[in-house]
Amino acid sequence: RALSLGLCASLQLARIQTDSVVSMLRQLYPDLHFEIVAMSTTGDKILDTALSKIGEKSLFTKELENALEKNEVDLVVHSLKDLPTSLPPGFTIGAVCKRENPLDAVVFHPKNCGKTLSLLPEKSVIGTSSLRRAAQLKKKFPQLEFRDIRGNLNTRLKKLDEKEDFSAIILAAAGLKRMGWENRIGQLLGPEDCLYAVGQGALAVEVRAKDQEILNMVSALHDADTVLCCIAERAFMKRLEGGCSVPVAVNSLLKDGQLYLTGAVYSLDGSDSLRETMQTSVNYPHQSEDGPNDDVQHVGVTAKNVPSQAQEAAENLGIELANLLLSKGAKHILSVARQLNDA
């Protein structure tokens, strides 16, 4: 049979990401035929407005989900960070692939080659379309200026290289790596400089929740460690009710059966922030679960081949970390950030 995958038409990165998922599926199912269907999404058409101002959670996903719902495509490949923490009814994330480097990267204007952010001249302008990146970096590098930059990766790099408007721009390392532009990374921002976005660096395969055959098929692509980290991150975000219009950031690590999650919220200028780390054990054996409860979703993810107790522990970790920040005043910081951003 033939399976069709939907992707966002205008993005070279979307094509590369979809191709990488198809090649993994081809190795697993050599007899299947895969067809790739390109379409454009709202987020790609509105390029003159800051993402955080548009405020529509499903900016890059709605058109693709419509096609999925109408059975025009069978699966959709997304960057996990573009997927809202609550999916529309009838959809689920059937696979979360092994995560690429989740950190943010600095790409410098050719004249600043070899520098780091701290070595840039005062009042240098840094381009980023992310409130999360700007909030953290404004606090860390008050001598620099941060300005909005939109467009796909190609467009942003072109704006950086061909004009003198920006001294550097901040992008996800994963996207640069997938595009084959790793050599442009001048500086990787570790957790001490900049916590990353929920789900950053991971690819998600969205499917119809009731389509057991396809669900079973793509579930082979799940990377267990990535699934658990991303469930914890998404649960943290969901509990905080954060979206792209507020600065929420995370860092997660799974080591020796322990899942560590750092989460933070920021005011728009980074002056006000809360940051905490918690951990939990996710060291559970895999039980084969027969019966009606085998398709439990955790923040939109269905992962049959990852121990359900581990998924539950990861989700609870995210919720508890969010509750801790809420008890310390996170709601106020986020609502002020939201109001300022809307204004």
Side-chain angles (χ1 to χ4, degrees):
R1 63 174 284 198
L3 277 190
S4 49
L5 292 86
L7 68 90
C8 159
S10 60
L11 295 184
Q12 193 186 344
L13 182 59
R15 180 72 207 219
I16 289 171
Q17 293 180 167
T18 303
D19 285 343
S20 76
V21 168
V22 169
S23 79
M24 288 189 280
L25 286 170
R26 275 206 180 108
Q27 285 177 337
L28 292 164
Y29 310 103
D31 300 342
L32 277 178
H33 173 70
F34 295 94
E35 177 202 0
I36 294 179
V37 182
M39 49 196 93
S40 53
T41 69
T42 315
D44 307 303
K45 293 174 194 148
I46 314 173
L47 286 176
D48 52 353
T49 313
L51 281 180
S52 54
K53 294 265 193 288
I54 305 167
E56 170 64 72
K57 277 251 181 65
S58 54
L59 211 53
F60 293 102
T61 57
K62 193 174 265 169
E63 284 84 351
L64 297 166
E65 281 170 347
N66 288 345
L68 198 52
E69 193 166 24
K70 294 178 187 153
N71 290 339
E72 290 165 14
V73 296
D74 299 300
L75 25 143
V76 180
V77 179
H78 303 274
S79 293
L80 182 57
K81 72 170 180 180
D82 290 340
L83 278 177
T85 50
S86 298
L87 298 182
F91 300 108
T92 189
I93 295 164
V96 179
C97 307
K98 190 172 173 56
R99 194 177 214 167
E100 185 55 83
N101 186 336
L103 299 179
D104 287 314
V106 190
V107 178
F108 292 92
H109 187 283
K111 66 172 188 227
N112 295 316
C113 199
K115 290 203 166 111
T116 58
L117 287 179
S118 53
L119 295 174
L120 287 176
E122 211 163 306
K123 299 263 184 274
S124 291
V125 177
I126 313 299
T128 170
S129 54
S130 154
L131 297 178
R132 170 190 60 80
R133 290 170 182 151
Q136 294 181 79
L137 296 171
K138 277 176 187 170
K139 177 87 194 274
K140 182 100 183 165
F141 304 101
Q143 74 281 15
L144 302 176
E145 284 179 20
F146 293 85
R147 241 179 255 156
D148 216 53
I149 185 168
R150 279 285 315 276
N152 59 38
L153 282 183
N154 312 51
T155 314
R156 280 188 256 182
L157 284 172
K158 214 172 148 138
K159 282 182 186 169
L160 171 71
D161 292 343
E162 293 177 9
K163 297 183 176 166
E164 295 288 321
D165 300 357
F166 298 100
S167 300
I169 58 176
I170 317 285
L171 300 164
L176 288 163
K177 209 168 164 185
R178 290 191 182 112
M179 294 285 278
W181 296 333
E182 215 175 342
N183 61 333
R184 288 302 307 265
I185 297 176
Q187 181 181 1
L188 273 176
L189 299 172
E192 62 292 340
D193 291 320
C194 194
L195 298 176
Y196 45 80
V198 167
Q200 184 158 303
L203 294 184
V205 183
E206 189 179 13
V207 298
R208 292 180 287 273
K210 296 236 181 312
D211 203 329
Q212 285 300 328
E213 191 189 352
I214 289 174
L215 205 47
N216 289 337
M217 205 174 79
V218 298
S219 67
L221 301 178
H222 271 306
D223 175 73
D225 286 11
T226 305
V227 167
L228 294 173
C229 287
C230 291
I231 282 177
E233 294 171 16
R234 284 171 64 80
F236 171 72
M237 176 92 136
K238 185 175 183 175
R239 178 70 187 93
L240 286 176
E241 293 168 3
C244 55
S245 58
V246 286
V248 172
V250 292
N251 184 73
S252 57
L253 171 71
L254 212 162
K255 202 178 168 205
D256 304 327
Q258 289 287 317
L259 176 57
Y260 302 85
L261 180 65
T262 300
V265 299
Y266 304 88
S267 58
L268 290 190
D269 63 358
S271 61
D272 207 359
S273 67
L274 285 168
R275 172 176 169 155
E276 294 288 346
T277 303
M278 288 174 83
Q279 70 186 88
T280 190
S281 169
V282 287
N283 205 356
Y284 292 99
H286 194 54
Q287 298 159 321
S288 59
E289 293 148 35
D290 291 326
N293 63 348
D294 59 358
D295 276 0
V296 179
Q297 288 194 32
H298 294 275
V299 271
V301 180
T302 303
K304 303 178 179 196
N305 48 353
V306 179
S308 58
Q309 286 169 292
Q311 294 183 61
E312 231 157 89
E315 186 169 6
N316 288 334
L317 175 67
I319 293 168
E320 281 170 31
L321 182 62
N323 285 338
L324 178 61
L325 291 188
L326 288 167
S327 73
K328 298 188 168 195
K331 210 170 190 69
H332 177 67
I333 295 177
L334 290 177
S335 61
V336 170
R338 201 173 267 123
Q339 283 159 2
L340 283 173
N341 181 51
D342 291 346

